[in-house]
Amino acid sequence: MLNISLRRFINRLGHDFSEPALLEQALTHRSFGSTNNERLEFLGDAVLGMVVSEMLYRHFPAASEGDLSRLRSVLVKGEALATMARAIDLGEQLRLGSGELKSGGFRRDSILAGAYEAVIGAILLDGGFDTCRACLVAWFEPLLQSLSLGDEHKDPKSRLQEYLQGKGAALPDYRLLNVSGEGHAQHFEVQCCLVGVSADYRGSASSRRKAEQAAATVALNDLQIQSNKTGKGR
Amino acid sequence: MLNISLRRFINRLGHDFSEPALLEQALTHRSFGSTNNERLEFLGDAVLGMVVSEMLYRHFPAASEGDLSRLRSVLVKGEALATMARAIDLGEQLRLGSGELKSGGFRRDSILAGAYEAVIGAILLDGGFDTCRACLVAWFEPLLQSLSLGDEHKDPKSRLQEYLQGKGAALPDYRLLNVSGEGHAQHFEVQCCLVGVSADYRGSASSRRKAEQAAATVALNDLQIQSNKTGKGR
């Protein structure tokens, strides 16, 4: 019943649904119909907040409540979740109404982040709390390992720059690839190029600055994940 | 090691700590010292939000995301948590700095609600998620059973009035028992009297209206708990 692309998406998620209808609902935007992912988003947002809070609590034993709150918002804010959604090509799996489809809703931060939370909610209902927590830990542990107290005040471009400086690497170059739309509906696509790294890190947003921040986030997350995999990151 | 009053408090909580130091920390306000309950409050707030979200999700299968959010805030807002804290005499167990002690911090909504959340966080660390969820379900199920869609827009006095009308009972009478302090530091204590009910429902706050709402909340929660116990409430 599942097509190849959805099969691949489920593999990337790391949870095989016993009720695939739950996943389908999580990937259905409200523009598609009345059975959509909004309630699952509510649930996923809450479980995500809880698991990330617990991870931060244990990882930063000396952090104040205020620091923990700020670090949590770095990890779970819409922009960050949209980046994680893009890393697993969630946009390709979205079911959108025709209007949203035409206007490129599958690229929009809010729609991607909402669906990402809804998928978390669906995993909770399908597999129970321990399964859902294990997925969230797998997804967020690399990011958490790379966070430091004080990072909550820094934007992704600054963090990427510091990360590269720490490795003695050259600074990134941001290239504007494309601008579409007019006036308030302008859409910027930016590439973050790193010397000696062939991966294609892109970000797009309604301003050039935001698109650069998005591309920096994608680059930073990928570098940290690679670094954790090879064990060179610690 | 534990005094009788703390022993009774633990019985009311329904969780026996294997690490009593965690409970002690949860009951320690920041005015008391640097090892206090603020980090546990952060954790407890998140797990409370998650468990209540899941309960609401399952209990109201037709509610929209917006309705679920509003119902959740009815259940977990500071005033509601302070009421639940008072119901288990949490204020008696608080460790406060001398300034807070003198100014009656053990009665203040924010301090009570924060410590209540911190106790939830302490139970999570001490007993694990399933234990913590079981406690939260036991505490919130009676309230949840009494909630209806639409209730999120109503204040406690209105809900108490509707509850009593539904039972064919007389309307409550609010009596001002005491006013202390001056100007902005005034403190009102109000009693909510119900015909044929001997229980003493009191609320105190910085305005008469708020004190009445607090007393109505105490009355409503108690009536609903009694009603669920006797099975007449459904």
Side-chain angles (χ1 to χ4, degrees):
Chain A
M1 288 292 285
L2 304 177
N3 63 42
I4 294 172
S5 144
L6 184 56
R7 193 68 259 168
R8 209 160 43 204
F9 175 72
I10 290 173
N11 286 341
R12 279 197 216 103
L13 269 185
H15 173 70
D16 207 352
F17 280 79
S18 49
E19 279 190 64
L22 276 169
L23 177 60
E24 186 174 274
Q25 189 180 345
L27 294 167
T28 305
H29 185 252
R30 65 168 182 270
S31 60
F32 190 86
S34 59
T35 302
N36 58 51
N37 64 9
E38 289 200 300
R39 282 170 46 89
L40 286 170
E41 180 185 342
F42 168 83
L43 190 60
D45 173 78
V47 67
L48 171 64
M50 188 241 142
V51 174
V52 168
S53 297
E54 194 189 357
M55 290 172 76
L56 287 167
Y57 182 93
R58 294 182 191 275
H59 192 76
F60 293 107
S64 72
E65 187 194 12
D67 288 337
L68 293 173
S69 288
R70 280 183 289 272
L71 287 168
R72 181 175 58 193
S73 60
V74 169
L75 291 174
V76 306
K77 68 183 174 186
E79 203 181 322
L81 298 184
T83 299
M84 298 185 77
R86 286 190 190 98
I88 53 173
D89 292 328
L90 189 148
E92 285 178 16
Q93 307 303 329
L94 279 177
R95 299 202 301 170
L96 295 166
S98 57
E100 285 292 356
L101 205 56
K102 277 183 204 152
S103 67
F106 46 85
R107 295 194 290 240
R108 199 170 305 138
D109 272 10
S110 58
I111 291 182
L112 287 168
Y116 191 78
E117 290 180 327
V119 167
I120 294 168
I123 295 175
L124 177 73
L125 295 180
D126 191 72
F129 179 74
D130 290 339
T131 299
C132 186
R133 170 150 63 179
C135 287
L136 287 168
V137 167
W139 302 341
F140 282 88
E141 189 65 29
L143 294 178
L144 195 117
Q145 290 293 347
S146 73
L147 270 187
S148 303
L149 273 178
D151 280 358
E152 68 275 19
H153 304 296
K154 290 175 194 153
D155 63 44
K157 280 177 72 177
S158 311
R159 283 166 54 208
L160 176 60
Q161 183 171 329
E162 285 178 16
Y163 180 88
L164 293 169
Q165 284 171 334
K167 303 268 174 198
L171 295 186
D173 181 25
Y174 294 92
R175 290 180 200 158
L176 184 61
L177 297 182
N178 190 36
V179 187
S180 57
E182 289 184 11
H184 287 301
Q186 274 198 308
H187 192 79
F188 295 80
E189 192 174 5
V190 163
Q191 186 177 26
C192 171
C193 306
L194 305 180
V195 175
V197 177
S198 61
D200 186 13
Y201 302 127
R202 296 185 183 202
S204 55
S206 58
S207 78
R208 183 168 179 168
R209 196 194 66 79
K210 280 190 191 167
E212 288 179 357
Q213 298 291 7
T217 307
V218 175
L220 194 58
N221 289 356
D222 186 57
L223 292 176
Q224 284 161 347
I225 289 169
Q226 298 306 327
S227 168
N228 281 327
K229 271 189 196 155
T230 59
K232 292 178 198 156
R234 304 295 292 277
Chain B
M1 289 291 287
L2 304 177
N3 63 41
I4 293 172
S5 144
L6 184 57
R7 190 72 259 163
R8 207 160 45 203
F9 175 73
I10 289 173
N11 287 341
R12 281 198 215 102
L13 268 186
H15 173 69
D16 206 352
F17 279 80
S18 49
E19 278 189 66
L22 275 169
L23 177 60
E24 187 175 273
Q25 190 180 344
L27 294 167
T28 305
H29 185 250
R30 65 168 182 270
S31 60
F32 190 86
S34 59
T35 302
N36 58 51
N37 64 10
E38 290 201 297
R39 282 170 46 88
L40 287 170
E41 179 184 343
F42 167 83
L43 191 60
D45 172 79
V47 67
L48 171 64
M50 189 240 141
V51 173
V52 168
S53 297
E54 195 188 356
M55 290 172 77
L56 287 167
Y57 182 93
R58 293 181 192 278
H59 192 75
F60 293 106
S64 73
E65 186 194 11
D67 289 336
L68 293 173
S69 288
R70 281 183 289 272
L71 288 167
R72 181 175 58 193
S73 60
V74 168
L75 292 174
V76 305
K77 68 183 174 188
E79 204 182 322
L81 299 183
T83 300
M84 298 186 76
R86 286 190 189 96
I88 52 173
D89 291 328
L90 188 147
E92 284 179 15
Q93 307 303 328
L94 279 177
R95 300 203 301 169
L96 296 166
S98 57
E100 285 293 355
L101 204 58
K102 276 182 204 153
S103 67
F106 45 86
R107 296 193 291 239
R108 198 168 308 139
D109 273 9
S110 59
I111 291 181
L112 288 168
Y116 192 78
E117 290 181 326
V119 167
I120 294 168
I123 295 175
L124 178 72
L125 295 181
D126 191 72
F129 179 74
D130 290 339
T131 300
C132 186
R133 169 150 64 181
C135 288
L136 287 168
V137 168
W139 302 341
F140 282 88
E141 190 63 30
L143 294 178
L144 196 118
Q145 290 294 345
S146 73
L147 270 186
S148 303
L149 273 178
D151 280 358
E152 67 275 19
H153 304 297
K154 291 176 193 153
D155 63 43
K157 280 178 72 176
S158 310
R159 284 165 54 207
L160 176 61
Q161 181 170 328
E162 286 178 17
Y163 181 89
L164 293 168
Q165 284 171 333
K167 304 267 174 199
L171 295 187
D173 181 24
Y174 294 91
R175 289 179 202 159
L176 184 61
L177 295 181
N178 190 35
V179 186
S180 57
E182 290 185 9
H184 286 301
Q186 274 199 308
H187 192 79
F188 296 81
E189 193 175 4
V190 164
Q191 187 177 28
C192 171
C193 306
L194 304 180
V195 175
V197 177
S198 60
D200 186 14
Y201 303 127
R202 296 186 183 203
S204 56
S206 58
S207 78
R208 184 169 180 167
R209 197 193 65 79
K210 281 188 191 170
E212 288 179 358
Q213 298 291 6
T217 306
V218 176
L220 193 58
N221 289 355
D222 186 58
L223 292 176
Q224 284 160 347
I225 289 168
Q226 299 307 328
S227 169
N228 281 325
K229 271 187 197 156
T230 58
K232 291 178 197 157
R234 303 296 296 279

